[in-house]
């Protein structure tokens, strides 16, 4: 009897909860949104000082403690200049974009946040970002490198401004080059492979390190040899992989490791191409800094890492930077950038924009980017700035026919990951390069068929 | 205060007192379970009929999400490359993993428990050291084992010393071995935990049974197989069921040891990893929810069948 009653009570509460739950699902708009939170905070403030103070939330990941401190200082400076605006800085260290997406799902997304170029189409297409071009003066936007803005435009509107950027360059070890009797960095892709072989023969250390997979590192090879920029928007775009230039260069890139490492070792010879793990390194910068390999193609992020972790390995004396090797149709490199996006649902777009303008303007970029030395400033005009690190300035001085921003269409992130898996399988020799290319084609068709 | 009065008179009745006290004691646990358990389940079921990208509106798509999962499975069965059939890959791997882990961990837990049950000097030390892995975070365990499993790591070193003519294995970068490596870590990490369950069950076995068997001339091995094992049967069923549930939704070890895409050739990919990737990399929470329901159905049927077959007979 008692048992039965408890039972029915529990049942009733389950039913009640189900009804509440159904209500929640039905009435999306009833859930707490950031707007309401901000509003309550505003109310508290008005009581105290009668002047209305607005709070905005700014979310980013962290490139280390120094950068976080610099941001804090910059925010304090900004709040001093704009006493009516308060900025709450939130650092999300892991799975940044997944977190932001989930906060959109829950209706508590921050007012302004980082968006990596490869993730930007998801946010732009779904209308999650406020058009910056409605807020900013044209003269402000014109200060930025135009090619960095291209991927973030849609229907004539601009949805984000890059906070900084990096590009690929060839890093080479001068000491190992001298030991191998080489006097200058390789100029073309053929020379790159040739030099790697010479270095392996003469010094016993592999000449070149690349990632297993790494589709974005291969793209400059394709484009410098005359292939169009990869762009995957619909299943038919998979035909990019039918381009003879793509087939030839992709096979060449896969074979760098397939022959340079796997086959060499099977024949008992020194490999001339490795991946970082083969020499006990975590990533390319690590392998290069430990002087286990003579050449890597990597981005500006490697520069502060080398300065920090390998202070005895000196730029200029021990290692130097050269442009990415050229193909038959010119020279191409990759650009990686992160934009600051303003939440389209933000209650305070004007105030948020004021903050973005301050962080991305000359003052903010000088502090955060130029002095910090983590990446390149996205504003033009810092090329000859005395505070610019010479290594970064050198990468900016190279001339390229094509600078390709890391973005292959609306599903860049997932495509990049799966392409890299297929390439890695072929590099390890589990499948042939032809099979890898066919699989990559199939992946595009599969991922974009809706 | 008529409401309070009526409540207090209701409360005064001793039978009602028990109900109120009981309900209020369990209310927090029940509420948490309802919100984070049942609500999440109902929402996942609801979500599995929709297309959503977290930002825009939800769009009803009927059974399309389930059709995507079935297409994935049928492609896998027809031998598609693992990248084209991720759910099939994850399912195949997790079934192999479960088939390795559950029997071995159960057997090992019984063996460990019977050692710990002996009256040997310092057995407390062994009990603690067997149980220690269960107190450590699985991510930390995986990170430690990544080092041990490296090509020039400790495990290859031990094999090299003990097995003649042993060629060092690149455990985590060879698609033939990565799942085995993950299984070994799982067995190491969970056997001690289940040992405690078996130890408790063993201590509840009446001494008279052993004494009677000894009088009949049964040796220790016979006593183990004809008294200990049959008496442990309910606990074995419990441990196997818990082990099945845990193994089929394995995520943490694969995430750390193989990576989000499942390592070389996708050999370390699991269903739970695929559900995560579907929800947060491919931004298809609806398909992720559909896959979760598939996983639920698999776990439910296997444990149900197992319990039905072995769980009841002993009572």
């Amino acid at each position: 009897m008692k048992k039965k009653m408890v039972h029915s009570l529990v049942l009733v509460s389950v039913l009640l909860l189900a009804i509440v739950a159904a209500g929640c699902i039905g009435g999306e708009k009833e859930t707490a949104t950031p707007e309401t939170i901000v509003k309550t905070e505003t109310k508290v403030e008005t009581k105290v000082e009668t002047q209305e103070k607005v709070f905005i939330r700014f979310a980013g990941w962290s490139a280390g403690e120094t950068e976080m401190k610099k941001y804090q200082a910059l925010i304090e400076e900004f709040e001093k200049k704009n006493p009516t605006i308060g900025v709450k800085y939130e650092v999300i260290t892991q799975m940044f974009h997944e977190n932001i997406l989930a906060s959109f799902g829950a209706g508590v997304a921050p007012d302004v946040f980082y968006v990596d170029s490869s993730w930007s189409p998801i946010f732009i297409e779904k209308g999650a970002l406020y058009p910056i071009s409605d807020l900013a003066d044209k003269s402000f936007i014109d200060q930025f490198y135009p090619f960095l803005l291209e991927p973030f435009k849609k229907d004539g509107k601009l949805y984000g401004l890059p906070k900084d950027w990096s590009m690929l360059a060839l890093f080479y070890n001068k000491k190992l080059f001298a030991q191998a009797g080489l006097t200058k960095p390789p100029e073309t892709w053929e020379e790159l492979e040739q030099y790697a072989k010479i270095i392996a023969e003469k010094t016993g250390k592999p000449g070149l390190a690349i990632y297993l997979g790494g589709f974005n590192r291969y793209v400059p090879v394709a484009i410098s040899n005359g292939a169009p920029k990869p762009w995957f928007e619909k299943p038919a775009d998979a035909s990019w992989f039918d381009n003879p230039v793509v087939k030839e260069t992709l096979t060449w890139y896969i074979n760098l490791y397939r022959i340079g490492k796997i086959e060499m070792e099977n024949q008992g010879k020194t490999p001339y191409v490795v991946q970082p793990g083969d020499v006990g390194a975590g990533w390319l910068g690590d392998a290069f800094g430990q002087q286990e390999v003579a050449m890597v193609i990597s981005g500006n992020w490697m520069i502060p890492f080398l300065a920090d972790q390998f202070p005895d390995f000196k730029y200029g004396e021990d290692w130097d930077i050269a442009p990415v090797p050229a193909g038959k149709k010119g020279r191409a490199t990759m650009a990686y950038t992160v934009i600051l996006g303003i939440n389209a649902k933000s209650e305070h777009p004007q105030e948020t924009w004021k903050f973005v303008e301050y962080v991305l303007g000359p003052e903010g970029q000088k502090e955060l980017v130029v002095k910090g030395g983590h990446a390149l400033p996205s504003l033009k005009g810092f090329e000859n700035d005395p505070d610019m690190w010479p290594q970064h300035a050198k990468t900016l001085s190279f001339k390229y026919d094509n600078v390709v921003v890391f973005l292959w269409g609306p599903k860049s992130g997932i495509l990049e990951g799966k392409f890299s898996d297929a390439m890695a399988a072929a590099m390890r020799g589990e499948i042939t390069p032809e099979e890898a290319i066919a699989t990559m084609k199939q992946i595009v068709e599969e991922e974009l068929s809706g | 205060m008529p409401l309070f009065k009526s409540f207090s008179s209701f409360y005064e009745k001793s039978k009602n007192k028990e109900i109120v006290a009981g309900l209020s004691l369990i209310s927090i646990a029940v509420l948490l379970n309802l919100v984070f358990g049942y609500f999440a389940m109902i929402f996942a079921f609801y979500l599995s009929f929709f297309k959503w990208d977290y930002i825009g509106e939800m769009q009803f798509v009927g059974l399309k999400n389930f059709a995507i999962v079935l297409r994935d499975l049928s492609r896998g069965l027809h031998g598609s490359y693992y990248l084209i059939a991720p759910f099939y890959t994850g399912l195949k791997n997790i079934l192999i993993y479960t088939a390795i882990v559950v029997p071995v961990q159960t057997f090992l837990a019984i063996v460990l428990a019977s050692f710990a049950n002996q009256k040997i000097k310092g057995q407390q030390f062994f009990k603690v050291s067997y149980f220690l892995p269960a107190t450590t975070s699985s991510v930390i365990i995986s990170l430690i084992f990544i080092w041990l499993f490296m090509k020039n790591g400790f495990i290859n070193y031990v094999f090299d010393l003990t097995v003649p003519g042993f060629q060092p294995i690149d455990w985590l970068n060879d698609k033939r071995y990565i799942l085995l490596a993950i299984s070994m870590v799982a067995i190491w990490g969970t056997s001690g935990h289940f040992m405690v369950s078996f130890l408790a069950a063993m201590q509840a076995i009446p001494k008279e049974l052993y004494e009677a068997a000894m009088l009949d001339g049964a040796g220790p091995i016979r006593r183990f197989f004809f008294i200990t094992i049959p008496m442990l049967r309910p606990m074995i069923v419990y441990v196997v069921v818990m082990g099945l549930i845990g193994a089929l939704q394995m995520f943490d070890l694969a995430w750390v040891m193989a990576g989000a895409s499942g390592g070389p050739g996708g050999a370390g990919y699991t269903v739970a990893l695929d559900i995560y990737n579907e929800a947060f990399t491919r931004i298809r929470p609806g398909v992720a929810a559909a896959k979760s329901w598939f996983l639920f159905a698999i776990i439910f049927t296997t444990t149900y069948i197992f319990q039905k077959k072995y769980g009841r007979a002993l009572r």
Side-chain angles (χ1 to χ4, degrees):
Chain A
M1 177 64 195
K2 206 191 294 165
K3 223 177 184 179
K4 216 172 184 182
M5 196 155 169
V6 176
H7 235 90
S8 55
L9 264 168
V10 170
L11 249 175
V12 167
S13 51
V14 168
L15 273 174
L16 268 175
L17 214 107
I19 292 164
V20 173
C24 280
I25 298 163
E28 272 281 286
K29 276 158 200 118
E30 280 168 26
T31 49
T33 56
E35 289 90 324
T36 48
I37 291 165
V38 173
K39 254 187 201 161
T40 46
E41 278 175 359
T42 319
K43 266 181 205 158
V44 175
E45 285 301 316
T46 36
K47 267 180 205 162
V48 183
E49 37 170 81
T50 62
Q51 199 197 8
E52 209 169 296
K53 187 165 180 178
V54 167
F55 280 90
I56 56 171
R57 288 167 57 218
F58 164 48
W61 60 80
S62 151
E65 206 159 327
T66 19
E67 197 208 43
M68 271 158 72
K69 278 186 186 146
K70 283 202 158 154
Y71 261 116
Q72 287 293 4
L74 203 72
I75 287 168
E76 272 169 37
E77 194 67 23
F78 172 77
E79 285 177 334
K80 247 184 240 163
K81 286 182 181 164
N82 300 276
T84 55
I85 308 175
V87 180
K88 209 174 155 267
Y89 179 38
E90 297 169 4
V91 176
I92 302 170
T93 47
Q94 291 266 307
M95 315 262 149
F96 180 84
H97 297 94
E98 287 89 338
N99 263 301
I100 294 289
L101 272 181
S103 70
F104 265 101
V108 290
D111 295 282
V112 52
F113 46 88
Y114 287 12
V115 184
D116 188 83
S117 63
S118 66
W119 280 81
S120 64
I122 295 167
F123 288 90
I124 293 172
E125 256 166 51
K126 311 297 176 191
L129 298 183
Y130 201 101
I132 295 272
S133 45
D134 290 1
L135 296 163
D137 290 338
K138 200 182 165 292
S139 61
F140 186 78
I141 294 175
D142 285 345
Q143 292 174 275
F144 288 81
Y145 290 101
F147 66 89
L148 286 179
L149 303 179
E150 256 347 285
F152 313 110
K153 283 182 179 162
K154 195 192 156 200
D155 303 332
K157 288 196 170 177
L158 179 66
Y159 288 87
L161 287 171
K163 73 176 185 77
D164 54 24
W165 68 296
S166 294
M167 64 171 146
L168 293 182
L170 175 75
F171 294 72
Y172 65 101
N173 185 320
K174 280 184 157 176
K175 289 188 283 181
L176 288 174
F177 264 59
Q179 268 185 47
L182 298 166
T183 50
K184 61 176 192 54
E187 277 295 316
T188 62
W189 296 110
E190 284 75 29
E191 268 183 26
L192 180 79
E193 191 177 6
Q194 212 185 324
Y195 278 31
K197 282 181 193 166
I198 295 173
I199 291 164
E201 254 170 52
K202 297 266 170 72
T203 69
K205 283 191 176 174
L208 177 71
I210 58 174
Y211 285 124
L212 269 181
F215 181 71
N216 69 82
R217 305 304 170 93
Y218 148 71
V219 166
V221 187
I223 291 177
S224 62
N225 279 302
K229 182 188 168 173
W231 191 260
F232 307 107
E233 217 169 66
K234 48 188 189 301
D237 291 335
S239 62
W240 190 78
F241 288 103
D242 294 333
N243 186 320
V245 177
V246 172
K247 282 195 165 160
E248 190 194 327
T249 52
L250 192 48
T251 308
W252 176 81
Y253 191 79
I254 288 170
N255 280 338
L256 274 182
Y257 190 84
R258 199 185 164 90
I259 297 173
K261 166 81 166 63
I262 307 287
E263 245 177 58
M264 284 294 127
E265 281 197 338
N266 287 347
Q267 295 171 9
K269 292 180 191 159
T270 320
Y272 56 87
V273 176
V274 289
Q275 57 125 342
D278 297 335
V279 291
W283 65 290
L284 290 180
D286 203 12
F288 186 72
Q290 290 181 22
Q291 307 194 43
E292 290 293 340
V293 297
M295 295 182 283
V296 299
I297 294 174
S298 187
N300 294 77
W301 52 82
M302 212 169 107
I303 292 167
F305 173 81
L306 289 176
D308 192 42
Q309 299 291 318
F310 303 97
D312 297 334
F313 185 43
K314 290 209 164 48
Y315 166 68
E317 292 165 34
D318 303 330
W319 63 274
D320 208 342
I321 309 174
V324 174
K328 294 187 189 86
K329 298 278 166 67
R331 214 182 272 278
T333 189
M334 289 291 303
Y336 303 84
T337 187
V338 174
I339 58 170
L340 285 187
I342 296 179
N343 186 346
K345 287 177 187 163
S346 169
E347 274 269 284
H348 311 287
Q350 295 296 340
E351 285 83 356
T352 310
W353 164 246
K354 255 191 173 170
F355 174 66
V356 172
E357 194 176 20
Y358 183 74
V359 171
L360 298 184
E363 215 175 318
Q365 291 219 11
K366 174 119 183 171
E367 269 310 306
L368 284 170
V369 187
V370 178
K371 285 189 187 166
H374 283 288
L376 299 169
S378 54
L379 288 177
K380 291 180 280 189
F382 280 113
E383 286 86 350
N384 300 315
D385 193 289
D387 283 327
M388 184 92 156
W389 292 26
Q391 302 95 308
H392 288 305
K394 186 157 190 185
T395 61
L396 267 182
S397 70
F398 300 144
K399 295 277 169 287
Y400 290 101
D401 302 299
N402 266 304
V403 181
V404 185
V405 177
F406 178 21
L407 187 64
W408 330 126
K411 293 218 168 170
S412 298
I414 182 81
L415 289 179
E416 171 71 26
K418 291 205 162 185
F419 288 166
S420 296
D421 285 347
M423 285 168 70
M427 284 174 158
R428 280 191 295 257
E430 292 161 14
I431 52 175
T432 65
E434 292 74 39
E435 281 171 324
I437 295 169
T439 307
M440 289 158 90
K441 235 186 114 175
Q442 219 178 334
I443 289 165
V444 175
E445 284 159 1
E446 168 71 16
E447 291 296 330
L448 294 167
S449 60
Chain B
M1 292 218 273
L3 191 78
F4 179 74
K5 210 162 199 183
S6 69
F7 176 75
S8 57
S9 72
F10 169 82
Y11 187 69
E12 282 312 305
K13 285 178 194 158
S14 66
K15 204 180 262 172
N16 292 337
K17 212 175 214 168
E18 243 176 71
I19 292 172
V20 171
L23 280 182
S24 50
L25 280 173
I26 62 164
S27 59
I28 293 175
V30 169
L31 200 73
L32 287 177
N33 205 3
L34 286 175
V35 174
F36 295 105
Y38 293 96
F39 168 69
M41 261 171 77
I42 294 164
F43 187 70
F45 186 62
Y46 174 86
L47 197 57
S48 63
F49 301 103
F50 287 81
K51 193 178 168 181
W52 192 32
D53 52 33
Y54 301 104
I55 300 167
E57 295 289 309
M58 287 187 178
Q59 215 184 316
F60 184 77
V61 291
L63 292 171
K64 213 179 141 202
N65 291 335
F66 292 91
I68 289 174
V69 185
L70 288 176
R71 198 179 57 195
D72 182 316
L73 283 174
S74 86
R75 275 187 185 160
L77 288 171
H78 287 94
S80 271
Y81 192 58
Y82 81 97
L83 288 168
I84 305 295
F87 186 72
Y88 172 81
T89 311
L91 192 60
K92 190 185 73 189
N93 290 338
I94 204 68
L95 291 177
I96 298 172
Y97 167 86
T98 308
I100 299 171
V101 169
V102 174
V104 178
Q105 87 186 4
T106 312
F107 175 73
L108 203 62
I110 296 176
V111 172
L112 290 180
S114 42
F115 280 130
N117 203 22
Q118 306 295 317
K119 290 198 175 52
I120 319 170
K121 241 190 191 166
Q123 53 132 314
Q124 200 61 31
F125 169 78
F126 289 108
K127 271 188 215 169
V128 170
S129 48
Y130 296 154
F131 189 67
L132 218 52
T135 64
T136 314
S137 148
S138 58
V139 172
I140 308 229
I141 290 175
S142 324
L143 287 173
I144 295 169
F145 269 89
I146 286 177
W147 285 94
L148 297 179
F149 274 120
M150 278 184 11
K151 203 170 177 183
N152 46 7
F154 181 74
I155 289 171
N156 275 338
Y157 174 75
V158 170
F159 276 125
D160 198 33
L161 284 184
T162 49
V163 183
F166 176 80
Q167 287 295 317
I169 296 171
D170 198 355
W171 293 91
L172 298 176
N173 292 312
D174 191 325
K175 64 175 183 178
R176 287 168 299 173
Y177 294 105
I178 184 162
L179 198 62
L180 190 65
I182 296 174
S183 312
M184 281 157 72
V185 178
I187 292 165
W188 183 84
T190 47
S191 297
H193 174 76
F194 289 128
M195 173 205 76
V196 177
S197 312
F198 283 124
L199 194 59
M202 276 178 189
Q203 281 164 356
I205 299 175
K207 292 246 161 12
E208 297 81 43
L209 287 178
Y210 289 106
E211 281 160 13
M214 262 146 109
L215 284 178
D216 288 341
I221 290 167
R222 279 190 163 198
R223 290 201 297 273
F224 179 76
F225 280 107
F226 290 101
I227 299 175
T228 314
I229 296 285
M231 291 302 285
L232 281 182
R233 204 163 147 180
M235 193 47 87
I236 294 175
V237 172
Y238 165 80
V239 167
V240 169
V241 166
M242 294 313 280
L244 276 177
I245 294 174
L248 286 169
Q249 22 181 339
M250 190 269 287
F251 178 85
D252 40 10
L253 298 180
W255 176 267
V256 181
M257 293 180 67
S261 59
Y269 203 62
T270 73
V271 176
L273 275 182
D274 191 42
I275 291 171
Y276 176 87
N277 283 335
E278 200 67 76
F280 292 112
T281 319
R282 309 169 91 179
I283 324 286
R284 296 200 298 188
V287 181
K291 287 183 174 175
S292 312
W293 279 96
F294 266 93
L295 180 61
F296 170 74
I298 291 163
I299 293 177
F300 186 82
T301 41
T302 41
T303 51
Y304 183 80
I305 290 170
F306 187 81
Q307 270 203 315
K308 190 114 198 177
K309 214 164 173 198
Y310 302 100
R312 217 193 271 147
L314 27 98
R315 251 170 254 149

